[in-house]
Amino acid sequence: MQRDSSSATVSGTDQDDPATDGRVTGRRMASTGSGLRIQGDDNLQSMLVGTVMRKIKSRSWKKQRYFKLQEDCTTIWYKSKKAGNTHSTFSVSDVEAIREGHQSEVLLSIADEFPADRCFTLVFRGRRGNLDLVAESVEEAQSWIRGMKKLIENLENMGEREKLDQWIGDLFKKADKNKDGRMNFKEVRDLLKMMNVDMNEHHAHRLFTMADKSQSGTLEDDEFVLFYKMLTQREDLLKVFQDYSADGQKLSQSDLEDFLKEEQLEEDDFQQKAKQLIEHYEPSDTAKLLNAMTFDGFLMYLGSSEGSIFNPRRRGVFQDMSQPLCHYFISSSHNTYLMEDQLRGQSSVEGYIRALNRGCRCVEVDCWDGANGEPIVYHGHTFTSKILFKDVVSAVGKYAFKVSEYPVILSIENHCSIEQQRVMAQHLNHILGDKLLKTTLDGKVGLPSPEDLKGKILLKAKKIGGLEESFNGMVEDSLTGEASDEDEVAEIDKDNLHRDSIRCRFKKTKQHLSKELSDCVVYCKSVHFSSFKHSRIHSKFYEVTSFTESKARKHLRDAAAEFVHHNSRQLTRVYPSGFRTDSSNFNPQEMWNAGCQIVALNFQTAGEGMDMNDGLFSQNGHCGYVLKPVFMREAAKRFDPEMPQNQDGYQPVILTIQVISGQQLPKVNIKEDSIVDPLVRVEIHGVPIDQAKQETRYIENNGFNPVWYDTLRFTVHTPELAMVRFVVEDYDKTSKNDFVGQYTLPLSCMQQGYRHIHLLSKDGTTIPPSSLFVHIRITKLDKPSSLS
């Protein structure tokens, strides 16, 4: 939900009189917003009454729970049928999708017991587990499926003001402990703590008294809205507004044009843009008739996606998608089947569904011989659970192109016998059908483009011979091929004291390849890497090399420019060290600096690595492909990430970020009296010379509306590769700071001027209405500089 909490004005649909502005209250929330939409909707009415359903965790864990939609139409409440048990709730906004029937591993495992038309799965955002449910009847299942879809659609279609109204209503309900529809001063004090506000009692009481127009000693209806508006007064935004307003009351169209031109550095037709913003964001009809924008409209604009730091023009697919595959960074997952760690974690088809739904375009399948002639997928030689290869292929076939139409690469780590390799080939052909690329594209010499390969699934694996021999019938039924280069045993080789014995063990694992599986490999043949010189002379465009992170780092240290050159012609995959048994990630930036396309990360693990990955691939339509800068695509350019100053067209920039304020930062400590002491750290990730971080001061006891006005400056030598990460932390002088929120984006996608940054949780999900307010300037540096 992209919205600025700050839009404190809580405007009504169209109220010109400030005294009557914003007549939305906590008490009436259920009947505004969502409430109007439930009238006449039988499914939602049925959900409000409640239903008994079975919650399923496994074949042996099936328990009845009472589920009910709350009056706010945004919360689902459920509890055990047994009296006295505590209840649980979740927000409709946390639900990403509803799957009907047996569409989860848990529900498939009980398919013989409960029919598909009574089963459904709620899939949550982030890394939270699914909720698998079985209704008592087909009608009840359909009622919840249709009702949930309607509620999700309602939330997605909510306007900015409705979202804010909803949030205020939720606050009112939480604070109104005795449920009498009004708030006394004690309830208001508790509310302030809940909202991360540390306000002295005298000031809080003064605001309370000012808002209590009826002098009843309680706040109700519009009085609560007035209290909220006084609490959230945005002095920082008012200052900007008044700087550009000729009369201090409104921005005329001319004032707004000046603001867009001088501050926001908008490139569009300013006159047209100003008109469009007034039309779209101004709540007052009177102001619209005057072609003007009030402070309310200004708040709405700066809190919207157009006022956010991420350039909306880079949200959709905007890049040239017709270049060879090796010219793109490709969103890639390591050990996709794992939901947790590398030693004992659960393997699940869900890992593939989640990765693909996040735009991942290269998933890993670790294949071993299984029982009854059926290949299985798991992390070999560990205690991780096992899943069937055919179930993985089915999931990939079903979900590959739901969020991106561009090609998916199945990176196969093959440990199977000839017989089970044949079964793998059968499953790939039978389940994927025409989606599986089996032949070269007509008239194409060299690697095809993402555009050429739309809707296609490519296999990356060992292959007998090359493309030249594959289709002329010269190959015998099976030949000897090397073991997979990604063999986890071999991975330890350079990092271990006993490397000689391990290398020896690796050499013994020669393996036969089946022709049937080999024939499924077209443009992504896995090969062993000898040296950059050898590759330059002998390698074919369809060959792919794989490196552990430590080997890739060694190549970067020894021959960075050679590495970039190699990646301008061929695909390279880099994956985490086998020592990362906790499924942690390295920072992918150092591999992107070398032009490595398939930088595989553990998608199941939140943190800096995945923040960077999500940030890079948030552009270009979340399609999983991002075009590399031109100096990394042209073999003749010889870009060296260690020496960016030598690059043709070298143009460093100065990035100046003024961190102005924060809005409604989430509480990180569950202790009731704890209030956040926030600081903001800005990190630049890029070529080595650009790596930098700076911090603001910390603000004591204010997570609600901290104000910094701290300016941070960075020199960026290769802006085309730079990523900017904003991290908010709760300062602690005695221990490690607590994470509050973050937002990461490419420097090339930043909008200049006054912008809001809508913070994300550790999991990468939105945490409305938390945001930062900043001012951004990017200026060219006239001459090469050694500044850092």
Side-chain angles (χ1 to χ4, degrees):
M1 174 159 100
Q2 287 277 339
R3 177 182 62 64
D4 167 37
S5 58
S6 62
S7 314
T9 47
V10 202
S11 306
T13 44
D14 181 57
Q15 303 286 348
D16 297 324
D17 177 5
T20 60
D21 184 25
R23 296 292 165 105
V24 178
T25 67
R27 213 164 41 149
R28 290 184 302 202
M29 274 310 299
S31 61
T32 58
S34 313
L36 295 173
R37 299 191 183 95
I38 69 168
Q39 290 166 9
D41 190 308
D42 292 341
N43 297 318
L44 295 182
Q45 294 289 358
S46 164
M47 289 170 71
L48 284 165
V49 172
T51 313
V52 173
M53 292 187 278
R54 279 184 179 84
K55 179 180 173 184
I56 315 287
K57 285 191 179 178
S58 67
R59 275 192 76 85
S60 56
W61 199 103
K62 306 183 278 277
K63 301 201 174 170
Q64 288 195 316
R65 295 285 183 267
Y66 180 60
F67 287 84
K68 186 176 185 296
L69 174 65
Q70 300 288 75
E71 295 263 321
D72 62 3
C73 286
T74 63
T75 311
I76 306 293
W77 175 98
Y78 66 97
K79 75 184 291 278
S80 165
K81 285 184 75 184
K82 293 175 188 167
N85 276 24
T86 54
H87 69 272
S88 303
T89 61
F90 61 86
S91 171
V92 173
S93 61
D94 293 337
V95 180
E96 188 169 62
I98 295 103
R99 294 191 207 140
E100 296 185 49
H102 300 142
Q103 285 203 61
S104 74
E105 281 160 304
V106 169
L107 290 178
L108 279 168
S109 74
I110 51 101
D112 55 343
E113 202 176 335
F114 299 106
D117 54 11
R118 284 170 49 199
C119 300
F120 62 99
T121 302
L122 299 184
V123 181
F124 290 96
R125 298 181 191 283
R127 292 167 176 84
R128 181 171 168 180
N130 296 343
L131 181 58
D132 291 300
L133 299 170
V134 179
E136 296 291 301
S137 69
V138 176
E139 293 71 33
E140 284 184 348
Q142 277 305 310
S143 195
W144 275 81
I145 290 164
R146 289 195 200 109
M148 284 298 295
K149 285 181 175 173
K150 177 83 179 282
L151 290 172
I152 291 169
E153 186 190 347
N154 282 352
L155 279 175
E156 286 172 352
N157 292 333
M158 260 191 192
E160 299 299 320
R161 279 183 296 285
E162 283 183 296
K163 287 175 185 173
L164 186 61
D165 295 343
Q166 186 86 50
W167 193 74
I168 298 170
D170 290 345
L171 281 179
F172 189 99
K173 279 201 298 296
K174 276 182 192 166
D176 183 15
K177 294 276 170 42
N178 59 7
K179 308 296 177 207
D180 62 353
R182 51 179 61 134
M183 276 203 288
N184 58 38
F185 183 60
K186 182 187 181 308
E187 287 173 330
V188 166
R189 274 206 332 264
D190 292 343
L191 170 71
L192 293 175
K193 282 186 185 145
M194 210 186 293
M195 294 166 78
N196 240 335
V197 185
D198 183 28
M199 188 182 285
N200 75 52
E201 193 150 329
H202 175 72
H203 184 51
H205 199 269
R206 193 168 64 83
L207 288 184
F208 182 89
T209 308
M210 283 166 67
D212 181 16
K213 300 287 187 192
S214 63
Q215 299 183 345
S216 63
T218 60
L219 301 184
E220 55 182 312
D221 292 356
D222 301 335
E223 293 175 341
F224 175 66
V225 176
L226 181 59
F227 175 77
Y228 177 84
K229 285 176 72 171
M230 288 191 289
L231 193 64
T232 54
Q233 186 61 45
R234 288 288 301 272
E235 298 296 337
D236 51 348
L237 274 173
L238 193 58
K239 182 175 179 299
V240 177
F241 180 81
Q242 288 176 339
D243 281 350
Y244 280 87
S245 167
D247 63 3
Q249 300 297 309
K250 66 182 181 304
L251 293 176
S252 66
Q253 186 176 317
S254 168
D255 293 340
L256 187 54
E257 285 172 26
D258 288 346
F259 175 73
L260 294 174
K261 188 162 46 184
E262 294 166 24
E263 290 296 349
Q264 306 302 74
L265 303 188
E266 290 282 356
E267 294 163 5
D268 297 339
D269 173 346
F270 302 119
Q271 195 173 17
Q272 190 56 37
K273 182 74 176 174
K275 268 186 180 166
Q276 178 234 317
L277 291 178
I278 291 167
E279 187 54 42
H280 199 77
Y281 297 107
E282 177 50 54
S284 160
D285 280 344
T286 308
K288 277 183 185 173
L289 287 171
L290 296 170
N291 276 342
M293 183 177 265
T294 62
F295 184 53
D296 282 8
F298 191 63
L299 282 172
M300 287 298 174
Y301 153 55
L302 282 177
S304 73
S305 60
E306 288 186 271
S308 87
I309 194 166
F310 197 104
N311 188 339
R313 285 185 288 273
R314 293 187 171 242
R315 281 259 178 240
V317 175
F318 70 95
Q319 293 181 329
D320 175 7
M321 301 304 285
S322 61
Q323 303 216 20
L325 277 184
C326 58
H327 286 181
Y328 298 83
F329 296 121
I330 303 171
S331 181
S332 307
S333 156
H334 174 61
N335 288 352
T336 315
Y337 47 88
L338 288 181
M339 300 294 281
E340 299 156 39
D341 67 58
Q342 311 275 314
L343 298 179
R344 295 174 184 278
Q346 177 199 0
S347 300
S348 172
V349 168
E350 198 64 42
Y352 292 91
I353 297 170
R354 291 187 176 197
L356 292 166
N357 281 343
R358 287 179 78 163
C360 177
R361 297 290 88 188
C362 179
V363 295
E364 186 182 13
V365 192
D366 201 342
C367 308
W368 300 78
D369 280 357
N372 308 316
E374 279 293 347
I376 53 171
V377 174
Y378 85 113
H379 200 36
H381 312 301
T382 66
F383 296 105
T384 56
S385 59
K386 302 168 176 66
I387 50 178
L388 292 176
F389 176 75
K390 65 180 178 184
D391 290 346
V392 169
V393 177
S394 293
V396 171
K398 185 166 186 181
Y399 289 92
F401 306 111
K402 292 233 186 238
V403 301
S404 170
E405 55 193 346
Y406 293 105
V408 166
I409 299 168
L410 280 185
S411 180
I412 299 284
E413 193 173 318
N414 174 16
H415 306 275
C416 290
S417 62
I418 286 281
E419 294 71 32
Q420 294 213 8
Q421 287 179 47
R422 288 189 180 123
V423 176
M424 286 169 65
Q426 284 166 18
H427 288 324
L428 288 164
N429 282 296
H430 175 69
I431 296 168
L432 300 180
D434 290 344
K435 288 179 188 167
L436 180 68
L437 188 77
K438 289 293 295 290
T439 60
T440 51
L441 300 184
D442 292 344
K444 264 284 174 200
V445 178
L447 272 178
S449 69
E451 190 66 34
D452 295 329
L453 294 167
K454 270 184 180 174
K456 290 295 181 188
I457 295 170
L458 284 66
L459 212 64
K460 182 188 90 64
K462 289 289 182 182
K463 183 173 182 63
I464 302 163
L467 285 189
E468 303 78 12
E469 303 101 307
S470 299
F471 305 109
N472 60 15
M474 297 286 285
V475 179
E476 294 172 32
D477 187 45
S478 72
L479 291 178
T480 301
E482 278 188 351
S484 164
D485 280 338
E486 293 100 293
D487 192 320
E488 300 291 338
V489 175
E491 187 181 305
I492 301 169
D493 131 288
K494 291 279 183 190
D495 307 321
N496 199 293
L497 290 172
H498 309 296
R499 56 182 176 269
D500 294 336
S501 62
I502 287 163
R503 199 175 296 131
C504 170
R505 212 165 17 129
F506 176 52
K507 283 178 180 165
K508 286 177 190 164
T509 56
K510 294 270 186 179
Q511 151 192 27
H512 291 279
L513 297 175
S514 92
K515 180 178 182 302
E516 293 86 348
L517 188 60
S518 172
D519 285 351
C520 294
V521 179
V522 183
Y523 288 116
C524 297
K525 176 186 176 178
S526 296
V527 297
H528 183 71
F529 178 78
S530 298
S531 69
F532 289 127
K533 183 180 179 183
H534 180 273
S535 290
R536 219 170 35 245
I537 299 164
H538 300 289
S539 66
K540 306 283 200 302
F541 66 85
Y542 52 81
E543 292 177 341
V544 185
T545 47
S546 287
F547 302 109
T548 62
E549 56 178 290
S550 50
K551 281 185 186 170
R553 275 192 203 103
K554 184 177 187 306
H555 292 315
L556 257 172
R557 279 195 307 272
D558 297 348
E562 283 281 351
F563 207 173
V564 174
H565 179 255
H566 174 86
N567 289 327
S568 69
R569 299 177 301 117
Q570 282 180 268
L571 288 169
T572 294
R573 177 174 178 267
V574 180
Y575 57 102
S577 157
F579 293 120
R580 292 182 181 271
T581 52
D582 58 351
S583 291
S584 60
N585 284 311
F586 56 87
N587 187 326
Q589 183 70 50
E590 56 185 330
M591 308 309 168
W592 294 332
N593 289 342
C596 298
Q597 304 86 351
I598 304 174
V599 180
L601 298 179
N602 289 299
F603 268 51
Q604 73 273 30
T605 307
E608 181 188 71
M610 278 308 297
D611 292 347
M612 296 288 294
N613 202 72
D614 289 344
L616 178 69
F617 293 103
S618 59
Q619 63 182 313
N620 209 32
H622 278 95
C623 77
Y625 286 85
V626 167
L627 190 63
K628 294 197 282 188
V630 66
F631 53 77
M632 300 186 107
R633 306 195 304 260
E634 295 178 9
K637 292 283 187 192
R638 292 287 169 168
F639 172 71
D640 184 344
E642 298 291 333
M643 298 287 291
Q645 300 93 328
N646 299 342
Q647 164 208 332
D648 282 352
Y650 165 65
Q651 178 56 72
V653 298
I654 299 284
L655 170 64
T656 307
I657 298 171
Q658 186 181 41
V659 180
I660 299 170
S661 63
Q663 293 77 45
Q664 283 104 307
L665 303 176
K667 277 185 81 131
V668 291
N669 193 318
I670 50 172
K671 285 185 194 158
E672 200 170 291
D673 292 337
S674 167
I675 306 284
V676 172
D677 299 336
L679 63 81
V680 180
R681 183 171 65 254
V682 178
E683 304 170 352
I684 308 297
H685 298 264
V687 296
I689 197 174
D690 288 341
Q691 296 285 126
K693 54 181 73 170
Q694 292 179 38
E695 289 179 352
T696 64
R697 299 160 292 138
Y698 70 91
I699 304 293
E700 208 164 326
N701 284 340
N702 188 353
F704 185 71
N705 55 359
V707 176
W708 290 277
Y709 282 104
D710 284 0
T711 300
L712 314 175
R713 278 191 186 82
F714 303 90
T715 300
V716 184
H717 296 267
T718 312
E720 300 91 336
L721 282 172
M723 301 285 293
V724 185
R725 184 168 182 252
F726 294 84
V727 186
V728 183
E729 289 184 342
D730 180 11
Y731 173 77
D732 192 322
K733 60 176 175 284
T734 57
S735 63
K736 189 170 177 282
N737 292 351
D738 285 324
F739 174 90
V740 174
Q742 69 83 32
Y743 190 80
T744 307
L745 78 165
L747 176 61
S748 60
C749 293
M750 284 172 85
Q751 296 205 93
Q752 298 193 61
Y754 287 102
R755 302 293 173 184
H756 278 101
I757 298 170
H758 301 280
L759 294 172
L760 302 175
S761 69
K762 204 170 193 122
D763 233 4
T765 54
T766 56
I767 38 175
S770 303
S771 61
L772 294 175
F773 186 52
V774 298
H775 185 271
I776 305 289
R777 268 295 170 267
I778 303 168
T779 49
K780 287 181 181 176
L781 201 56
D782 291 335
K783 56 183 183 297
S785 164
S786 58
L787 291 172
S788 61

